[in-house]
Structure formats: structure tokens, C-alpha cells
């Protein structure tokens, strides 16, 4: 099914409203040569969108789903029935997370093609896929955030489960860099790489088709996870995310159809970016009055999150901790907040003298 019609300017305008997404394990044609695939995920976020782009005598696949029971069978069926038994000639992965990179190694091995990724995302994916869940930096970050040894061990076990979502990655990549242009099926796609959600996430923009593959950088309905990584405990991923979104807004016109990794395709890229940035700035403002007195990261969950964060829900605690630290690190980098680690080994944060609320 072709959902979009070309306008006079060669940009594809959606027929409103855009129909429902393909069912899990199915695909639909968005514009000639661009197909939208959906794969299931065994986590709270229950699906990922993948893209198959006609590329001469083969397919370029963008993102891959995770390696879990049934997923390679779904791929086999899609390749055979929906993608016409035509070989995959290139696999592009937007970023390191398992839902995106999990089956990259399997596809690359099966078709003897190359994996295209930015270098930092590839190396980071290798690190997650090889994680023991017991790395000292991982333990240190959570212990300073007030986690008990038992809680850290449980999150470590969860990390090992996630490591199992990756088929072995290939030993080499074709490196993508910010501002590269890829020719796919006779169309030019520009790479826009930037940090925030992950260190060097690649989005792809095709001006001729009016399409923007946003990965996890710009999502409809939910905001991207911005978390501090134990590899860089003092990092400021929120600043990187603001910068990347502002670059995307500058380089990609508002009238593209956005192809996100989760949720439905949408239009209104600039408005969506403005809302996302506005929300994060609002949260930062909201955090400041809570820091008049020194607070641990976990004492701020009530201020930051609408739903209660139960200490027994370890994966949720992990997300909440990573995101809270990202907000706090941003305030520390800006000089609005200072941090110190007490005798109990837990870090507390407090408004700097003279910082404005
Ligand atoms: Zn992601
Ligand atoms: Zn994702």
C-alpha cells in the first residue's frame, strides 16, 4: 500500500490521517521503495519500527530488532514473502541499543553484507553485548546514587539479559559520520549524527523523498530516554541532546514525514522538537526549588516522575536513576547545582549559592 502522494515539489505529503501502522511482524509500503516493518519486543515498549529501502538489486535495512525467540523466524518470513526473496545488501543501524542493533550481526552474517554504523555506537554496542553486569563503573554509579548492593546485583542481572539480546556483532563496520551522504536506491540520504539518547546516534534525511528516519532521537508520544552512562558518570547528555535537536531543526525542514523507531510516522518535526525541548527545560526549572536542601538522586523521583517509582521495580529504578542523574549533571555543568559525596558514599546535590530559581 502506498500511503503518500507526491506533491508538486517532489516532497511526499501524507494522506490524512495516516493509517494504522503495520501489525507486528508485517510490513507496508510508505512510498515506492520505502517499506515500514514492525517487530515485537519482549519489554514494556512492545515494538520497534524498521525500514527496508529498495537499493538496486537488494535491500538496505535500517535497524534490526532484538535477538529473541521467534525474531529470526519473523525476519525469514518477511524476507521470503514480503521482501520478495531479494538479498539484503546493506544493514544500517542508527544506534547501539539492542532493539536497533540486536539482529544486525545475524543479518550481516546471513547475507555477507556490511554493517553501516557510526564508530562510537558500534563500540558501545560491543560493550553492552559483552557486559557481565558487574563492571566497577556500573556499580560505582549506582552505589553513589544510593542503591544497595542487592539492588545493583539485580540490575546487573538485567544487564546480562540485555546483552543476550544481541546476536554476535560483526568484527568490522563501514563507518558513518555526521554529514555523510549515502546513495540508496538512487536517492541521497544525509546522515545527521549526534549525542543525547546515545553517544553518536545517526538519523537519515532524504530531501528528495521528504522523509526523515529519526531513530530514537525524535519520537512521537514519548520522550527519548536521556540517561547518564556509567562509562561517563560526569557527562552531560542533556546538553548534547539539546544541541543535536537544534541541529536537526536547522537542517531538516518541517514538512518531512518523520519515520520514528517507536510509535507512528508523523509530520510536524519542528513542533515536536519544540515541545520536547520545552518539556525538558520545564523539568529542569521544576527541579531547582527541590534542591534548596541537599538531596540524593532518588529523593527527587517524586518531583520528577508522575508515576511512583517503586524500589522493587529494578528496571524502572534504573531508568529513573539514569534520567535523574542526567538532569542533575546538566545543572552541575551549568553551575546551578553542586554535588558532594558523603561519608556513606552517596552523592547529594544542592543549589549553588546565588543560583536563580
Ligand atoms: Zn535507543
Ligand atoms: Zn529504540
Amino acid at each position: 500500500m502506498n500511503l503518500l502522494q507526491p506533491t508538486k515539489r517532489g516532497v511526499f505529503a501524507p494522506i490524512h490521517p495516516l493509517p494504522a501502522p503495520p501489525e507486528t511482524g508485517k510490513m507496508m509500503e510508505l512510498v515506492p521503495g520505502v517499506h515500514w516493518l514492525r517487530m515485537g519486543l519482549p519489554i514494556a515498549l512492545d515494538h520497534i519500527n524498521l525500514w527496508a529501502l529498495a537499493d538496486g538489486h537488494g535491500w538496505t535495512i535500517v535497524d534490526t530488532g532484538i535477538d529473541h525467540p521467534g525474531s529470526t523466524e519473523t525476519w525469514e518470513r518477511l524476507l521470503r514473502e514480503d521482501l520478495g526473496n531479494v538479498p539484503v545488501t546493506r544493514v544500517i543501524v542508527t544506534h547501539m541499543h539492542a532493539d536497533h542493533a540486536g539482529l544486525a550481526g545475524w543479518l550481516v552474517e546471513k547475507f555477507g553484507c556490511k554493517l553501516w554504523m557510526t564508530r562510537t555506537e558500534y563500540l558501545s554496542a560491543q560493550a553492552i553485548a559483552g557486559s557481565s553486569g558487574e563492571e566497577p563503573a556500573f556499580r560505582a554509579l549506582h552505589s553513589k546514587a544510593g542503591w544497595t548492593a542487592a539492588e545493583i546485583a539485580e540490575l546487573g542481572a538485567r544487564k546480562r539479559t540485555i546483552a543476550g539480546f544481541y546476536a554476535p556483532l560483526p568484527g568490522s563496520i563501514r563507518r558513518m559520520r555526521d554529514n555523510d551522504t549515502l546513495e540508496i536506491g538512487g536517492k541521497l540520504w544525509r546522515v545527521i549524527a549526534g549525542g543525547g539518547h546515545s553517544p553518536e546516534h545517526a538519523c537519515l534525511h532524504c530531501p528528495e523523498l521528504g522523509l526523515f528516519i529519526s531513530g530514537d532521537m525524535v519520537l512521537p508520544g514519548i520522550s527519548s530516554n536521556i540517561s547518564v552512562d556509567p562509562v561517563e558518570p560526569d557527562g552531560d547528555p542533556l546538553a548534547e541532546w539539546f544541541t543535536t535537536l537544534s541541529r536537526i531543526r536547522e537542517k531538516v525542514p518541517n514538512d518531512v514525514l518523520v519515520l520514528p523507531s517507536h510509535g507512528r510516522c508523523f509530520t510536524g518535526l519542528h513542533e515536536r522538537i519544540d515541545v520536547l525541548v520545552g518539556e525538558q527545560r520545564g523539568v529542569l526549572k521544576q527541579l531547582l526549588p527541590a534542591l534548596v536542601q541537599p538531596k540524593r538522586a532518588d529523593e527527587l523521583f517524586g518531583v520528577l516522575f508522575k508515576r511512583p517509582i517503586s524500589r522493587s521495580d529494578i528496571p524502572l529504578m534504573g531508568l529513573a536513576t539514569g534520567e535523574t542523574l542526567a538532569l542533575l549533571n546538566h545543572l552541575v555543568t551549568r553551575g546551578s547545582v553542586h554535588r558532594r559525596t558523603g561519608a556513606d558514599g552517596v552523592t547529594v546535590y544542592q543549589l549553588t549559592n546565588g543560583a536563580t530559581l
Side-chain angles (χ1 to χ4, degrees), residues 137-150:
F138 162 76
R139 288 208 295 254
L141 179 123
H142 290 90
S143 150
K144 282 186 178 172
W147 287 51
T148 66

Side-chain angles (χ1 to χ4, degrees), residues 96 120 123-128 131 135-142 159 199 227-237 325 329:
M96 63 183 180
T120 318
L123 294 174
S124 305
Q126 289 276 28
I128 306 172
S131 171
E135 291 79 11
F138 162 76
R139 288 208 295 254
L141 179 123
H142 290 90
K159 273 192 93 182
S227 280
V228 169
D229 189 318
V231 168
E232 212 182 328
D234 299 329
D236 183 0
L325 292 178
N329 279 8

Side-chain angles (χ1 to χ4, degrees), residues 109-281:
E109 169 88 19
K110 182 176 170 66
F111 291 99
C113 61
K114 289 212 161 110
L115 171 61
W116 292 54
M117 249 178 123
T118 64
R119 187 182 175 88
T120 318
E121 294 297 335
Y122 169 70
L123 294 174
S124 305
Q126 289 276 28
I128 306 172
S131 171
S132 64
E134 291 173 357
E135 291 79 11
F138 162 76
R139 288 208 295 254
L141 179 123
H142 290 90
S143 150
K144 282 186 178 172
W147 287 51
T148 66
E151 288 167 344
I152 296 171
E154 200 177 328
L155 191 64
R158 170 84 189 144
K159 273 192 93 182
R160 284 194 294 282
T161 303
I162 290 171
F165 289 159
Y166 292 81
L169 285 154
S172 64
I173 52 165
R174 179 71 189 263
R175 181 178 177 185
M176 293 194 298
R177 300 170 200 239
D178 182 46
N179 229 19
D180 278 356
T181 301
L182 315 183
E183 197 241 286
I184 306 172
K187 310 283 183 213
L188 299 182
W189 292 78
R190 173 72 56 88
V191 176
I192 303 174
H197 173 67
S198 59
E200 200 187 355
H201 179 298
C203 300
L204 295 165
H205 173 218
C206 180
E208 190 182 339
L209 292 175
L211 298 177
F212 178 60
I213 295 176
S214 64
D216 280 355
M217 278 302 298
V218 188
L219 296 170
I222 52 171
S223 54
S224 310
N225 175 276
I226 314 293
S227 280
V228 169
D229 189 318
V231 168
E232 212 182 328
D234 299 329
D236 183 0
L238 201 51
E240 291 181 55
W241 186 72
F242 286 139
T243 305
T244 308
L245 286 190
S246 121
R247 286 181 53 238
I248 290 172
R249 202 182 186 291
E250 216 177 276
K251 285 166 179 263
V252 183
N254 195 32
D255 59 3
V256 290
L257 181 72
V258 184
L259 279 48
S261 292
H262 309 284
R264 294 172 70 152
C265 298
F266 66 98
T267 51
L269 174 69
H270 291 189
E271 288 86 357
R272 183 66 190 139
I273 288 175
D274 293 347
V275 166
L276 289 167
V277 169
E279 279 173 3
Q280 284 288 4
R281 296 216 185 274

Side-chain angles (χ1 to χ4, degrees), residues 95 97 100 197 216:
H95 67 293
H97 292 145
H100 302 258
H197 173 67
D216 280 355

Side-chain angles (χ1 to χ4, degrees), residues 80-91:
R80 194 176 55 242
E81 294 171 11
D82 298 9
L83 294 170
N85 242 345
V86 173
V88 172
T89 46
R90 161 164 49 187
V91 175

Side-chain angles (χ1 to χ4, degrees), residues 343-357:
D344 58 357
V346 178
T347 304
V348 291
Y349 300 81
Q350 188 172 13
L351 215 57
T352 307
N353 280 341
T356 45
L357 287 180

